[in-house]
């Protein structure tokens, strides 16, 4: 009997020792896992959070940026030669901890989409992008803390799960800011700060801009589009020039244009042809001819003054804006921030760059030798396809 008790005690002691040993191993494993998690957090950056349990949500961001020094908006994955706005934006999204690093490497994983792909040097005061993120605390402040001052996130809104900022956008409004000496007639051309736009010239400018309204074939206002392609037909809702104003001794004017969508370089060529006509380098008839089948070499104004001002979502707002679940894509509350950004970063950049680099003045010097008739004559006379003029690699 006593032997049985001692045997049971020995078995119990052995089991306890084995349990402690296994517990020690498990404790060691937990310690190793904790250390590994801490290392991952350190690699992810100071703002990264243990948000793997947070659900991802589809949102839109209101983005403003000064495009000088950037090769456009859209990211060129795998190419570091040309820096884009999205390079800095995606980097900030990763560092702030609202998307995982592999989403930054493959933007399709976060369903990223932009309303407009702005060209090289073009700025934006109201770009909108849609994407899926972890809605971490203080998300806007954290993203902006990793962005340069000339790129800001000014607003955020939740949207429907299938929302696509490009496809759901009904219209886009751009403005083009230029020194008014661009409208001085060639016979008394004054390309300096003394020029002031007369009321008569402004009236003529707006008369010509009104011709752009409606649906036209803009194949001559972009590259690699033929006159028979349906995608070359675009609808312009409005286009006009505002009253001029003086900044730092130089007079400027702002041309606003609202359209459903625009092709690459379309607005810059619309402005370029307008300036050529007002200055007297091209007849007004070239405007009507540019919408025909014949190839017309339309001059392209500099990219410096072009700014994406706002994007419009009327149909989305009508369907979802008042359904009680979603808020309308309206940025009235952010308007003060948009105005402040334009005053601090966009207008000063355009003015200082024009003053020091004289991009408009240099472009105007090319108009006297621009031939608006040669390509049209070639196309009519030979019946052959005339190649498009060389384009910038925007």
């Amino acid at each position: 009997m006593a032997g049985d008790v001692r045997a049971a005690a020995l078995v119990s002691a052995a089991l306890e020792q084995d349990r402690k040993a296994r517990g020690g191993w498990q404790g060691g494993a937990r310690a190793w896992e904790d250390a590994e998690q801490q290392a991952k957090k350190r690699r992810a950056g100071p703002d990264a959070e243990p948000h793997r349990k947070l659900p991802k949500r589809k949102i839109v961001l209101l983005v403003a940026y000064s495009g000088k020094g950037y090769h456009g908006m859209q990211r060129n994955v795998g190419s570091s030669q040309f820096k884009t706005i999205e390079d800095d934006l995606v980097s900030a999204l990763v560092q702030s901890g609202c998307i995982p690093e592999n989403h930054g490497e493959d933007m399709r994983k976060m369903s990223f989409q932009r309303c407009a792909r702005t060209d090289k040097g073009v700025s934006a005061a109201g770009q909108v992008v849609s994407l899926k993120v972890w809605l971490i605390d203080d998300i806007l402040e954290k993203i902006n803390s990793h962005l340069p001052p000339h790129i800001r996130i000014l607003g955020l809104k939740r949207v429907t799960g299938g929302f696509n900022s490009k496809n759901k956008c009904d219209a886009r409004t751009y403005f083009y800011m230029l020194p008014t000496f661009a409208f001085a007639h060639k016979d008394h051309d004054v390309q300096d700060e003394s020029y002031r736009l007369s009321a008569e010239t402004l009236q003529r400018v707006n008369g010509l801009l009104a011709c752009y309204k409606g649906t036209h074939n803009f194949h001559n206002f972009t590259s690699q589009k033929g006159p028979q392609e349906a995608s070359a037909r675009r609808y312009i809702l409005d286009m006009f020039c505002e009253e001029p104003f003086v900044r730092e001794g130089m007079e400027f004017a702002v041309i606003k244009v609202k359209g459903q969508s625009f092709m690459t370089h379309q607005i810059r060529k619309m402005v370029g042809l307008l300036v050529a006509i007002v200055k007297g380098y091209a007849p007004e008839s070239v405007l009507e001819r540019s919408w025909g089948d014949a190839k017309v070499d339309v001059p392209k104004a500099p990219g410096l003054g072009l700014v994406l001002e706002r994007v419009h979502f009327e149909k989305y707002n009508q369907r979802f804006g008042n359904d009680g679940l979603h808020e309308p894509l309206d940025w009235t509350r952010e308007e003060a921030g948009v105005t402040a950004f334009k005053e601090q970063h966009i207008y000063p950049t355009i003015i200082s760059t024009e003053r020091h680099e004289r991009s408009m003045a240099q472009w105007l010097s090319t108009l006297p030798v621009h031939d608006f008739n040669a390509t049209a004559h070639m196309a009519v006379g030979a019946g052959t396809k005339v190649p498009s003029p060389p384009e910038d690699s925007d």
Side-chain angles (χ1 to χ4, degrees), residues 1-46:
M1 185 71 175
D4 291 341
V5 172
R6 284 196 298 272
L10 288 173
V11 171
S12 177
L15 290 173
E16 179 66 16
Q17 185 177 4
D18 180 65
R19 187 187 66 78
K20 289 182 177 179
R22 285 187 288 106
W25 181 87
Q26 290 170 348
R30 284 195 297 272
W32 181 87
E33 289 173 356
D34 290 344
E36 181 66 14
Q37 288 299 323
Q38 291 299 322
K40 287 182 179 180
K41 288 180 182 179
R42 286 193 295 270
R43 288 197 298 269

Side-chain angles (χ1 to χ4, degrees), residues 289-306:
R289 180 157 55 86
S290 69
W291 296 323
D293 289 348
K295 181 66 182 175
V296 177
D297 188 357
V298 177
K300 180 176 60 182
L304 173 66
L306 185 58

Side-chain angles (χ1 to χ4, degrees), residues 11 51 60 256 306 329 333 340:
V11 171
H51 40 49
V60 293
K256 289 196 174 182
L306 185 58
L329 294 183
R333 288 178 297 178

Side-chain angles (χ1 to χ4, degrees), residues 179-182 184 189-196 249-251 358 361:
T180 56
F181 64 66
D189 198 351
V190 181
Q191 294 183 10
D192 60 32
E193 299 178 11
S194 66
Y195 182 83
R196 295 294 181 265
M250 186 183 297
E251 188 178 67
R358 296 183 60 79

